[in-house]
Amino acid sequence: MIPEINDLQSITIEQVDSLRKTGIAFVKLPDAILEDLKKIEKYGMRYFHQPKSFKNLDKFNQYREGYLDQSEKGYPVERYITRGVQMSEALVNCQAEMLNIREFFKADIILPLVFEVFKQLNITSHFEVSTKEPDYTLSLIYYPAGELEVLRLTPHKDTILMTVVWTQKM
């Protein structure tokens, strides 16, 4: 059974055990994060509705950030990826919210869950080494094709033990 975690501060041993066994958990997002997501949706949709020539000004770069048109490889998907190094001028109005969600994802989801799994496995001495230089990304993923136009915000981080992804219907 997939554990539902409503409060990461009071995660139970059973939830951690289930997470360790299944590699997946549903995590409730706080209302403030949901408000941030609404603002990001507003500016994200404006960004993706711009002409491709405009979005290409933010072309994916050496920092592995920027606009990435995956339709060039046969996927009907466009992405805007940030690691917090730089932000498109078109998304600057929701930059604080994007960075807030990125930090929330790191500090309130990944690190606590990974630590609890390490603790249950009796390998907490490896926690610091495993999380010392993380690479946290935040991707706006736009699906323009089909009957329903979709924008997803997908923070994603692979760790030694698990991949954590969250998505929501906006």
Side-chain angles (χ1 to χ4, degrees):
M1 178 186 265
I2 298 173
E4 292 183 30
I5 302 170
N6 291 317
D7 179 13
L8 286 164
Q9 305 307 317
S10 58
I11 191 169
T12 67
I13 292 172
E14 292 80 17
Q15 289 170 322
V16 174
D17 188 51
S18 182
L19 173 62
R20 184 178 59 81
K21 289 177 182 173
T22 64
I24 190 169
F26 293 111
V27 179
K28 182 177 179 357
L29 299 177
D31 290 340
I33 294 295
L34 295 174
E35 289 302 314
D36 286 349
L37 292 171
K38 288 178 188 174
K39 187 171 182 180
I40 292 166
E41 176 189 25
K42 175 182 167 182
Y43 288 100
M45 282 299 201
R46 285 184 190 170
Y47 177 81
F48 286 110
H49 286 141
Q50 297 294 324
K52 206 168 272 201
S53 59
F54 174 82
K55 293 179 281 193
N56 280 331
L57 295 173
D58 297 315
K59 199 82 169 156
F60 198 67
N61 61 34
Q62 73 269 21
Y63 302 111
R64 296 184 341 218
E65 292 189 300
Y67 175 69
L68 185 60
D69 183 4
Q70 294 185 290
S71 68
E72 296 169 358
K73 295 188 178 185
Y75 305 105
V77 175
E78 296 177 46
R79 294 178 183 252
Y80 182 83
I81 301 167
T82 184
R83 289 178 165 72
V85 175
Q86 63 185 28
M87 187 73 63
S88 167
E89 287 295 320
L91 295 170
V92 75
N93 290 323
C94 63
Q95 180 175 2
E97 289 80 7
M98 289 179 76
L99 295 176
N100 183 43
I101 287 173
R102 187 175 162 273
E103 182 59 28
F104 170 79
F105 178 70
K106 176 183 82 173
D108 293 357
I109 294 180
I110 291 175
L111 293 178
L113 290 178
V114 170
F115 181 77
E116 290 299 327
V117 171
F118 273 49
K119 189 166 78 174
Q120 190 178 54
L121 295 171
N122 294 318
I123 57 171
T124 53
S125 60
H126 298 286
F127 178 75
E128 188 176 324
V129 171
S130 300
T131 60
K132 188 175 183 179
E133 295 183 33
D135 180 17
Y136 298 99
T137 63
L138 185 68
S139 295
L140 286 176
I141 304 174
Y142 178 65
Y143 298 89
E147 293 178 25
L148 183 62
E149 179 180 52
V150 177
L151 176 71
R152 285 188 2 201
L153 179 75
T154 307
H156 177 269
K157 170 67 179 123
D158 290 323
T159 63
I160 291 172
L161 295 178
M162 68 181 120
T163 298
V164 181
V165 175
W166 97 65
T167 186
Q168 74 293 329
K169 184 176 179 182
M170 291 169 65

